[in-house]
Amino acid sequence: QIGVRTILIDPGHGGNDRGASGLRYNEKSLTLQVALRLQRVLSRMGYRVLLTRVNDRRLELSDRARAANAAKVDLYISIHMNAAANRTVTGIETFCLTPPGAPSTGGEKVFYNNYPGNSVLNNSMSLAWNVQSQLLRYTKAPDRGVKRARFVVLRETRCPSILIECGFISNRSEELILGSAAYQEQLAAGIAMGIYNYHRNLRRNN
């Protein structure tokens, strides 16, 4: 896995699954807007970019992972918006797959399951770290860190995979900026630069 040519962007939720809802926006529409902007940025950088959805339709989680494997993409990027009961919480966090024998972030259970995603654990971690650091640079958002989870889309994809929580739709001020074109462009630029840096480091280390 030296080259990065084809990238699958997966806008979270869709159709009758709205995801989290704020006062003005819902997650399914914001994830698609950011995904389409990210597609344009990455395409201009020379990558081949696919999307799991380009309109408002529902997809099962397993279908999203299956799409990545069927297309044999080099990277899988899942776009989400966050929500919390505490409406003061803001910031960006990026998830990669939890390694076997370790608990996920915020959990205590340890699993040793052999998931397809286990074969690219280090690459997924590196991708998450690069994307998170560039997102913070471009947006100046609070850093909620790189986290680990066994989400279906992370464990079932055979390529390096991350899930990005772009901000909290439950926070009134963050929801408003998440809905703005200017901030969505910053998110897209940050994710794209993180991918580029990851790709550049891959080439340097091979």
Side-chain angles (χ1 to χ4, degrees):
Q1 157 80 41
I2 297 172
V4 176
R5 172 158 164 65
T6 307
I7 300 168
L8 180 66
I9 306 171
D10 179 24
H13 307 281
N16 61 359
D17 171 16
R18 289 192 319 200
S21 290
L23 291 176
R24 180 178 296 191
Y25 303 107
N26 53 47
E27 185 176 4
K28 70 172 185 176
S29 56
L30 292 181
T31 59
L32 182 59
Q33 289 165 19
V34 172
L36 291 170
R37 292 181 192 281
L38 177 58
Q39 180 189 32
R40 288 195 287 272
V41 176
L42 288 171
S43 297
R44 285 200 299 267
M45 292 167 73
Y47 293 104
R48 178 168 171 252
V49 187
L50 310 176
L51 280 94
T52 53
R53 66 180 181 96
V54 293
N55 51 26
D56 184 18
R57 67 190 186 99
R58 186 189 172 103
L59 287 164
E60 297 306 320
L61 295 173
S62 54
D63 290 335
R64 297 169 192 265
R66 207 172 288 127
N69 296 335
K72 294 187 164 59
V73 300
D74 299 307
L75 298 178
Y76 169 92
I77 313 289
S78 183
I79 307 288
H80 283 259
M81 303 293 152
N82 224 330
N86 177 352
R87 295 189 181 280
T88 65
V89 177
T90 60
I92 295 174
E93 57 195 32
T94 302
F95 286 87
C96 56
L97 181 63
T98 312
S104 293
T105 302
E108 289 170 8
K109 279 196 177 156
V110 169
F111 295 93
Y112 291 90
N113 306 36
N114 189 18
Y115 299 117
N118 286 3
S119 61
V120 288
L121 271 172
N122 288 347
N123 289 54
S124 293
M125 180 69 192
S126 170
L127 177 62
W129 187 87
N130 277 288
V131 167
Q132 176 75 7
S133 61
Q134 290 303 313
L135 272 168
L136 301 175
R137 205 182 121 221
Y138 276 82
T139 64
K140 307 291 188 275
D143 181 10
R144 293 181 53 81
V146 170
K147 300 189 173 181
R148 297 192 182 267
R150 292 185 175 90
F151 300 140
V152 171
V153 293
L154 299 181
R155 67 180 196 230
E156 299 301 331
T157 42
R158 301 180 188 283
C159 64
S161 305
I162 58 172
L163 183 147
I164 304 159
E165 295 279 6
C166 295
F168 283 79
I169 202 168
S170 48
N171 177 276
R172 186 76 184 107
S173 55
E174 194 156 73
E175 180 197 4
L176 287 175
I177 61 168
L178 285 167
S180 76
Y183 193 73
Q184 289 178 9
E185 286 293 338
Q186 289 174 348
L187 288 168
I191 297 167
M193 188 51 69
I195 290 170
Y196 173 78
N197 286 352
Y198 163 83
H199 184 189
R200 191 182 58 191
N201 292 340
L202 268 189
R203 288 187 305 223
R204 186 180 294 153
N205 294 333
N206 281 284

